[in-house]
Amino acid sequence: MATKASRSAARLMMAPAVVLLLGWMLVPLTMTLWFSFRNYLPLRGGDQGFAGFDNYVRFVTSSAFWPAVLATLFIVVGVLIITVVLGVLLALLLDQPMWGQGIVRILVIAPFFVMPTVSGLVWKNMFLDSVNGLFAHIWRFFGAQPVEWMIHQPFASIILIVSWQWLPFATLILLTAIQSLDSEQLEAAEMDGAPALKRFWFIIIPHLSRAITVVLLIQTIFLLSIFAEIFVTTAGAFGSKTLTYLIFQRVLESQNVGLGSAGGVYAIILANIVAIFLMRIVGKNLDA
Amino acid sequence: MGRITLSNVTKSFGDVEVIPPLDLTIEDGEFAVFVGPSGCGKSTLLRLIAGLEDVSSGEIQIDGQDATDVPPAKRGLAMVFQSYALYPHMTVRKNIAFPLRMAKLDKAEQDRRVNQAAEVLNLTDYLERRPGQLSGGQRQRVAIGRAIVREPAAFLFDEPLSNLDAALRVGMRLEISELHKRLNTTMIYVTHDQVEAMTMADKIVVLRAGHIEQVGSPLELYRAPRNLFVAGFIGSPKMNLIDGPEAKKHDAHTIGIRPEHIAISAEKGDWSGVVGVSEHLGSDTFFHVHKTGLADTITVRADGEVSLRHGDKVYLSPRLDMIHRFGADGLRLS
Ligand SMILES: Nc1ncnc2c1ncn2[C@@H]1O[C@H](COP(=O)(O)OP(=O)(O)OP(=O)(O)O)[C@@H](O)[C@H]1O
Ligand SMILES: [Mg+2]
């Protein structure tokens, strides 16, 4: 913007948005930080003054902390691997000209529009239930003992449900990336003697690398905070408690806001570590 | 070696027949150029030869072997695409080495061939760059490099120079001709450009709507176009075509006379007219002469020093031995 007047006008116009955004992010963050240093037990005497670093120490030394961190990472990594691998394959498939393409594409995207609570319940009761679930019937059909998914395979169940929800997102982004690949490049590779698998590996995957990076980063941000899928399925039992879920329990079930807030701060730190780590590995794909 | 024979080849996309039955032979070591108006099927024909499209019927032979159902990689042909189709995430070295890597040549041999190609094409300084960091001409050379390292039986070029500026185009044209002379490999070259076709080709194939209108050396086509379409297509500016009484005088339905075979004079001549636009190229001047009573415009080439102005009355004299005669069916009368 060229003139001084237009520049200050622009600032004025942008101010409301900036203030709103700042407030939106800063207020909860400062409140979390504030409460994390307080001894705040809403049903047991309320705010009882400063606690120093007590909350932080108690949160990490609790026996549930490290398992929760590991569970979080395990679920995030599992879902990322499944969604990216299947997403690439599905995108390749959907890119092929076929009959009913429009409808198929909409169907593939559909799971993304189902609310997490709903999909969690549907999966739990209709597919994974050990008596009446679809999977139990399949298992029995082959003469096998139905699996108690929630009890024996809590991670597999949660990863399955969350992957089902996020696969459309990955597929959609990867599909648009595949569509932007110049078909002459593939033809050139074909003439250069590369069979289909090598074309996939040497041409398509490098072309997709940037889109894959985007999928990984965005999904990580959202997956670190999954909650509803756990709440309605295992409710954090059988070792499937993630950091988010642990914080929820500390605040609501134990009625300890200070301890939960300290957990929240740890969650922020964990998210940033994961993000930096991811950026390091895949970030070079984003420069070019 | 690369003798390519097409017999009775057709190609349809759905109901649309793009290539009606077509026969064509390209001899080993020949530089064949496909020309024709946009959409006439030049690229399709090239892609059929490459194997990137399947023929609807007919047979393609390469060196006497039936190659109709052979996959592209096994035909031993290399193609240079209009968009170059370089692999953007690989360095120039890796791009050029890609076909060798796919053929599982050992590393030393790969390096030797890549370096050799880079030398021939003046790419040695750019081997570690990515395609995105190269100019159009350099990218073009990388694409050619990727084609020559495989030592193919024939090269296929689809309008390889159309994205380059005029000066670069002249340079690359010479380089490709030079390459052809040196390698002596069959080349098939698709172009829109008259000058490219005339200067590079051993054999020009003129296509219209998938039909071959004429096949011959550039000078054959220039001197004896088989029909009105070829007459109008080959030569720049276009041949003047004249119908009516003037043509009757020569026992023809239509006569054609090239701009360079008409003398222009301010004093006397066979035909008269009024000068319209004149295009000064320095060495030559093209006058567009109107109101001759023969055709809308007669184009005449004159020496660059001839000075006539818009609106001047002029006289034109065709060289009688250079008049082309065509019958009512559009075919040449000999
Ligand atoms: N995949 C396709 N499906 C349907 N029609 C096609 C397909 N490819 C080409 N055509 C048609 O075939 C005809 C010939 O196309 P082609 O690309 O060979 O023309 P061209 O001579 O190379 O033209 P240009 O000089 O503009 O590149 C065109 O009418 C085009 O519309
Ligand atoms: Mg074309």
Side-chain angles (χ1 to χ4, degrees), chain A residues 67-68 70-72 74-75 150-151 154-155 158 234 236-242:
Chain A
L70 285 183
T72 311
F74 191 66
I75 290 177
M150 293 307 139
I151 297 169
F155 280 119
I158 292 168
T234 62
F238 315 113
S240 65
K241 200 182 296 176
T242 61

Side-chain angles (χ1 to χ4, degrees), chain B residues 13 18 37-44 53 159 192:
Chain B
F13 291 109
V18 176
S38 188
C40 70
K42 306 180 293 288
S43 300
T44 308
E53 305 275 0
E159 304 195 29
H192 272 123

Side-chain angles (χ1 to χ4, degrees), chain A residues 94 104-114 165 168-169 171-172:
Chain A
L94 291 179
V104 171
R105 285 189 187 167
I106 289 174
L107 283 180
V108 166
I109 296 160
F112 204 49
F113 299 119
V114 179
Q165 274 198 308
F169 173 77
T171 309
L172 204 63

Side-chain angles (χ1 to χ4, degrees), chain A residues 144-156:
Chain A
Q145 177 72 27
V147 181
E148 295 266 5
W149 286 93
M150 293 307 139
I151 297 169
H152 298 298
Q153 296 292 338
F155 280 119

Side-chain angles (χ1 to χ4, degrees), chain A:
Chain A
M1 270 171 245
T3 67
K4 221 173 185 175
S6 68
R7 222 174 308 153
S8 55
R11 286 219 188 104
L12 205 69
M13 305 278 196
M14 284 189 323
V18 172
V19 168
L20 192 73
L21 264 180
L22 269 183
W24 201 274
M25 292 173 27
L26 276 185
V27 170
L29 183 66
T30 16
M31 280 176 71
T32 308
L33 278 172
W34 168 255
F35 283 129
S36 70
F37 290 106
R38 311 278 305 180
N39 197 359
Y40 185 16
L41 309 163
L43 292 185
R44 286 173 281 154
D47 198 344
Q48 297 166 4
F50 272 101
F53 280 92
D54 273 5
N55 287 328
Y56 286 91
V57 175
R58 265 183 70 196
F59 196 86
V60 274
T61 48
S62 128
S63 63
F65 178 72
W66 285 110
V69 171
L70 285 183
T72 311
L73 294 179
F74 191 66
I75 290 177
V76 169
V77 172
V79 174
L80 285 181
I81 292 174
I82 292 178
T83 50
V84 168
V85 171
L86 290 185
V88 169
L89 297 180
L90 259 180
L92 277 177
L93 205 67
L94 291 179
D95 188 42
Q96 307 298 317
M98 60 179 164
W99 190 82
Q101 199 165 38
I103 291 179
V104 171
R105 285 189 187 167
I106 289 174
L107 283 180
V108 166
I109 296 160
F112 204 49
F113 299 119
V114 179
M115 280 173 276
T117 330
V118 175
S119 75
L121 284 173
V122 166
W123 271 93
K124 181 186 179 186
N125 295 315
M126 291 178 66
F127 292 95
L128 302 177
D129 190 89
S130 60
V131 180
N132 263 323
L134 201 64
F135 285 12
H137 285 295
I138 295 174
W139 256 245
R140 271 196 292 271
F141 178 79
F142 288 106
Q145 177 72 27
V147 181
E148 295 266 5
W149 286 93
M150 293 307 139
I151 297 169
H152 298 298
Q153 296 292 338
F155 280 119
S157 312
I158 292 168
I159 290 177
L160 185 68
I161 296 170
V162 178
S163 300
W164 179 80
Q165 274 198 308
W166 281 91
L167 187 55
F169 173 77
T171 309
L172 204 63
I173 294 207
L174 294 171
L175 178 64
T176 54
I178 282 186
Q179 284 171 336
S180 74
L181 175 60
D182 174 15
S183 66
E184 285 197 347
Q185 264 182 47
L186 288 176
E187 287 176 347
E190 192 177 351
M191 297 226 42
D192 283 344
L197 263 182
K198 289 212 169 134
R199 288 203 293 278
F200 175 73
W201 188 249
F202 288 109
I203 312 292
I204 296 180
I205 289 290
H207 176 78
L208 287 183
S209 61
R210 203 183 288 202
I212 292 178
T213 311
V214 170
V215 169
L216 287 179
L217 286 176
I218 293 183
Q219 284 202 22
T220 307
I221 294 168
F222 284 93
L223 293 178
L224 280 171
S225 61
I226 51 162
F227 176 79
E229 294 86 342
I230 301 174
F231 185 74
V232 300
T233 53
T234 62
F238 315 113
S240 65
K241 200 182 296 176
T242 61
L243 200 53
T244 326
Y245 205 86
L246 186 67
I247 294 167
F248 160 77
Q249 284 188 331
R250 291 289 182 264
V251 174
L252 272 153
E253 291 175 11
S254 328
Q255 287 291 331
N256 191 335
V257 174
L259 195 55
S261 298
V265 175
Y266 281 121
I268 294 170
I269 294 169
L270 177 74
N272 279 291
I273 291 174
V274 173
I276 290 170
F277 196 60
L278 267 177
M279 292 292 241
R280 274 282 155 76
I281 312 177
V282 289
K284 62 176 192 294
N285 289 329
L286 287 176
D287 324 326

